[in-house]
Amino acid sequence: MGNYRELLDLTGQAALVVGAASGIGRASAEALAAFGARVALADRDERGLEEALKAIRRAGGEAEAKPLDLMAPEAAEEAVAWTLERFGRLDTLVSTPAVNVRKPLLAYTDEEVDRVVDLNLKATLRLLRAGGRVMRERGSGSLIAFASIRALVVEPGQGVYAATKAGILQLVRTLAAELGPYGVRANAIAPGPIETPLTEPIKAHPEWYRAYAEKTALLRWGKPEEVAMAVVFLAAPASSYVTGTLFLVDGGWTAVDGRFTPPL
């Protein structure tokens, strides 16, 4: 029988996590480090980045941090080059940054469309492209991009956001097809309602907050660390035959058709 514990061991690997200052990005970086990876943290939030770095080091992990504005055209290449400089390799790349402008599609301005598309789709592609080139040359690696349940289901006010998240899924599927022959895997993760600083404003609206919880099969919001374990799996040898997929971590949101329970 094989040693299945070793399938989650990331010792010797190096990972780049962009968006590591808070929320799901920070939890992902901490989880990767906990399983043995050396982690390069990147984010434009310098204070949050420093706190994340200290937390990983306090826990005995190995990490470095770099302030990064992913909207800069050269940022993706810089982040990948910096990771290689620090750790000499890149085994896993995790892209989490995203933005949303909540309003009806008919009310969207061109500037607002550009804001959402430029970060969520174009900047994510630049990052995946930069990491993918390095991994293709090396002959192995795991690209992980964050999509959303909005890649599959929508609600009023999230149309452009949903379109970018569906686009990320298609980018990942294409990368899986194009890079698979080189030993590189590409997958997307689709979180449901997760309690992070970005979703904090929803708590100010109890009905909205409760409605999201009740849309899940588990009747609750998720935590960043529950998503982070999906990142660990997709980075680890345990997922060596997994590529081109959308990994749902949504508490059953997309499986549940409403919350009404009919008399059976």
Side-chain angles (χ1 to χ4, degrees):
M1 185 175 72
N3 188 341
Y4 290 102
R5 288 181 177 272
E6 291 182 358
L7 292 179
L8 290 175
D9 186 4
L10 301 177
T11 301
Q13 291 197 25
L16 167 61
V17 180
V18 179
S22 64
I24 291 171
R26 174 169 172 173
S28 298
E30 291 176 347
L32 289 167
F35 280 83
R38 297 168 293 167
V39 186
L41 316 177
D43 202 295
R44 67 178 183 177
D45 176 3
E46 295 189 32
R47 181 175 179 180
L49 195 62
E50 185 63 25
E51 291 174 355
L53 178 65
K54 289 179 179 178
I56 290 175
R57 288 178 172 175
R58 279 197 303 268
E62 184 177 350
E64 300 288 343
K66 176 182 177 61
L68 183 80
D69 181 1
L70 194 57
M71 289 296 288
E74 69 283 357
E77 296 286 351
E78 288 181 358
V80 169
W82 169 74
T83 303
L84 292 173
E85 177 186 323
R86 289 294 188 274
F87 298 132
R89 58 191 291 165
L90 176 63
D91 299 280
T92 297
L93 185 150
V94 182
S95 177
T96 71
V99 66
N100 186 21
V101 177
R102 286 182 178 270
K103 64 193 313 184
L105 278 177
L106 300 187
Y108 251 88
T109 66
D110 285 351
E111 290 77 14
E112 288 167 337
V113 172
D114 289 343
R115 179 186 171 197
V116 177
V117 171
D118 284 352
L119 177 61
N120 296 11
L121 200 57
K122 289 175 66 176
T124 298
L125 173 57
R126 285 196 294 263
L127 193 56
L128 294 172
R129 186 175 61 196
R133 286 170 175 163
V134 170
M135 293 176 183
R136 180 181 61 182
E137 182 69 23
R138 186 165 181 266
S140 66
S142 176
L143 297 168
I144 303 170
F146 270 81
S148 165
I149 55 172
R150 298 302 171 209
L152 302 175
V153 294
V154 301
E155 71 177 23
Q158 296 206 62
V160 177
Y161 177 84
T164 62
K165 292 303 184 176
I168 286 173
L169 173 57
Q170 295 303 77
L171 290 177
V172 161
R173 285 172 168 165
T174 303
L175 286 166
E178 295 176 350
L179 298 179
Y182 299 92
V184 180
R185 298 180 295 109
N187 293 284
I189 295 176
I194 306 297
E195 294 194 348
T196 71
L198 290 178
T199 59
E200 187 68 26
I202 296 178
K203 283 191 172 182
H205 303 271
E207 290 186 8
W208 189 4
Y209 181 83
R210 184 174 60 254
Y212 271 25
E214 292 177 352
K215 276 285 290 181
T216 73
L218 299 178
L219 300 176
R220 67 173 177 86
W221 283 60
K223 298 178 175 60
E225 54 267 30
E226 292 177 301
V227 184
M229 289 310 298
V231 173
V232 171
F233 172 73
L234 291 175
S239 63
S240 59
Y241 202 57
V242 178
T243 193
T245 191
L246 181 67
F247 197 127
L248 288 159
V249 189
D250 67 349
W253 179 300
T254 53
V256 175
D257 183 19
R259 283 259 51 105
F260 174 67
T261 303
L264 301 175

